[in-house]
Amino acid sequence: MTRKEALDSIKANVENQNLVKHMLAAEAIMRALARRLGEDEVEWGLTGLLHDIDMELTEGDMNTHSKLGADLARELGANETMAHAILCHNEAHGIPRETKLDKALFCADPLTGLISAAALVRPDKKLTGLEAKSVRKKFKDKSFAAGANREQISLCGEIGLELEEFTELGLEAMKGIAPDLGL
Ligand SMILES: [Fe+2]
């Protein structure tokens, strides 16, 4: 599967542009994580990019969300490791996270939301001037962007990253595609 094929499929299945941006952010963070951990950047990037492709098709039903997504990813040519990561990023199925890819996607997913929210409360609503330490400050403020699950983000420890490095890596990755994110 090429990145273009993945994007075309997203365009065909997802209308909400904020959801598309969330998947682009997840892709960027996953690529950066793969680079940092010596894993396959293409495979990890595509997994991040596709992980919520079924959100509208399943109408957010957590009993089917990510099952359909994993199937769609397989149809596009994703291997089983990638499909499994997509499948188990939704905890509702009770499928344990086994591989590094599973664990990376799970903690990267909510980090995108925290970083986007931290950018959006800035006067310029941009990522440019945002520092990782202020992302961590927002991390500690549990009422801020409460949907960005802090426990889940903290599981970066399972892939060997401290929160400090994880927030820095995530922020830099998202800054790298800021125009695509509209941030
Ligand atoms: Fe997601």
Side-chain angles (χ1 to χ4, degrees), residues 19 22-23 26 48 51-52 55 65 89 105 108-110 112:
L19 182 55
H22 163 62
M23 290 193 278
H51 82 280
D52 277 339
M55 196 62 107
H65 167 53
H89 96 273
L105 178 62
D109 188 8
T112 69

Side-chain angles (χ1 to χ4, degrees), residues 33 36-37 44 99-101 103-104 107 155-161 166:
L33 280 174
R36 161 68 174 79
L37 298 170
W44 282 41
T99 67
K100 242 187 230 180
L101 181 55
K103 292 169 187 173
C107 62
L155 292 176
C156 60
E158 291 187 346
I159 50 169
L161 270 77
F166 188 44

